[in-house]
Amino acid sequence: GAGVSQSPSNKVTEKGKDVELRCDPISGHTALYWYRQSLGQGLEFLIYFQGNSAPDKSGLPSDRFSAERTGGSVSTLTIQRTQQEDSAVYLCASSLGAVSNQPQHFGDGTRLSIL
Amino acid sequence: AQSVTQLDSQVPVFEEAPVELRCNYSSSVSVYLFWYVQYPNQGLQLLLKYLSGSTLVKGINGFEAEFNKSQTSFHLRKPSVHISDTAEYFCAVRGGNTGKLIFGQGTTLQVKP
C-alpha cells in the first residue's frame, strides 16, 4: 500500500520568502507528525496532530512556523519569512494513534534550502 | 521529559563481523523505545520496537535489541553485518502519554568489505 507521501521532495527558495510543505499520511492513520532533520540539531520534533484534538505545537521553533491538517488527512507545514537556519530536511510521519503502541511511519522528506 | 544518547557517532566494522550500536535513555515515566534506520536520501524505516514484555526484541534485517531498565539502555546488535547495512541508525524514545519521538544524534554504521 501507499506510504507517507511528501511534496515537494526538494525546495530551493530565497531568504524572506514563505514556503509550504505538504504531507499525505497513510490512509486511516489518525496521528500525523512533523520533524526537522538538520546537521547541527539532529532530528527534532516540531508538531503533531491526533484526530480532532488540539495539536501539540511544543516543538515549533518560532512563530514563523505553523501547520494545519485539513479534514483529518493532508497536512501543510508553512514557514514564513524563511531564514538560512531553516535549511533542513522536513520529515512527516503518521501512525494509527499518537499515544498508542503503534509505530510512526515516515515519508522521504522535503529537503529545504534557503539561499 | 525524555532524552536519548547514542554513544558512538560512527562505527566502522568489517563485513560479516558482529556489531553493537549503543543507546542510553533518560525518562521519568515509562517509555516505548525504537530503532530506526535511514538510508541516503530516504526517510526513516522502523527496525524494531520495545513496548513491553520480553526485553529481547527482534526486528527486520537480522537486527535485535535488548531493553535494560536498570541501565536505561537499549543497545542494537547484529551478529553478522552486510555491506547493505551501511546507513544511519537512530534510537528514539516516546513517553507513554505523548506522541512525540525524541531521537538520539544518530550513529553512522560503515560496513567495509
Side-chain angles (χ1 to χ4, degrees):
Chain A
V4 177
S5 177
Q6 293 187 244
S7 61
S9 55
N10 286 282
K11 177 73 176 178
V12 181
T13 192
E14 294 178 348
K15 176 182 172 181
K17 300 286 188 183
D18 297 351
V19 295
E20 286 189 350
L21 312 179
R22 177 188 168 100
C23 174
D24 273 287
I26 293 172
S27 178
H29 281 193
T30 60
L32 186 148
Y33 315 79
W34 285 97
Y35 296 87
R36 179 170 70 174
Q37 185 174 24
S38 57
L39 283 176
Q41 302 299 322
L43 269 160
E44 305 171 278
F45 164 78
L46 296 177
I47 184 172
Y48 84 85
F49 300 85
Q50 169 56 61
N52 295 322
S53 302
D56 179 342
K57 304 179 182 179
S58 60
L60 294 178
S62 77
D63 58 7
R64 296 186 296 106
F65 288 72
S66 63
E68 63 177 20
R69 189 178 185 192
T70 54
S73 180
V74 171
S75 177
T76 302
L77 177 69
T78 301
I79 309 174
Q80 296 178 310
R81 305 180 303 281
T82 52
Q83 303 295 313
Q84 287 188 331
E85 61 263 28
D86 299 335
S87 295
V89 176
Y90 289 81
L91 293 167
C92 177
S94 69
S95 70
L96 283 170
V99 291
S100 71
N101 60 7
Q102 297 300 317
Q104 297 177 23
H105 300 268
F106 284 79
D108 286 341
T110 293
R111 184 174 298 276
L112 178 63
S113 301
I114 310 299
L115 302 179
Chain B
Q2 293 87 40
S3 67
V4 179
T5 302
Q6 290 184 242
L7 297 163
D8 306 294
S9 59
Q10 293 189 348
V11 173
V13 63
F14 286 106
E15 192 173 19
E16 297 183 6
V19 70
E20 178 180 82
L21 305 184
R22 296 181 293 169
C23 172
N24 284 89
Y25 70 93
S26 172
S27 178
S28 57
V29 299
S30 61
V31 296
Y32 301 134
L33 293 157
F34 306 84
W35 275 99
Y36 283 87
V37 61
Q38 186 177 34
Y39 299 102
N41 298 315
Q42 294 185 24
L44 301 172
Q45 180 182 3
L46 181 68
L47 275 178
L48 48 78
K49 60 185 185 286
Y50 172 77
L51 305 175
S52 64
S54 173
T55 57
L56 182 62
V57 179
K58 294 190 183 297
I60 63 171
N61 301 342
F63 284 93
E64 63 181 33
E66 185 155 20
F67 170 60
N68 188 317
K69 188 174 182 178
S70 63
Q71 297 186 1
T72 59
S73 68
F74 190 53
H75 300 332
L76 181 71
R77 302 185 184 101
K78 186 169 182 177
S80 175
V81 295
H82 303 289
I83 295 288
S84 59
D85 292 324
T86 296
E88 186 91 13
Y89 291 79
F90 292 93
C91 181
V93 64
R94 180 167 74 75
N97 60 349
T98 177
K100 61 186 177 185
L101 286 172
I102 305 300
F103 287 91
Q105 288 295 95
T107 297
T108 301
L109 176 63
Q110 301 164 323
V111 182
K112 306 175 183 179

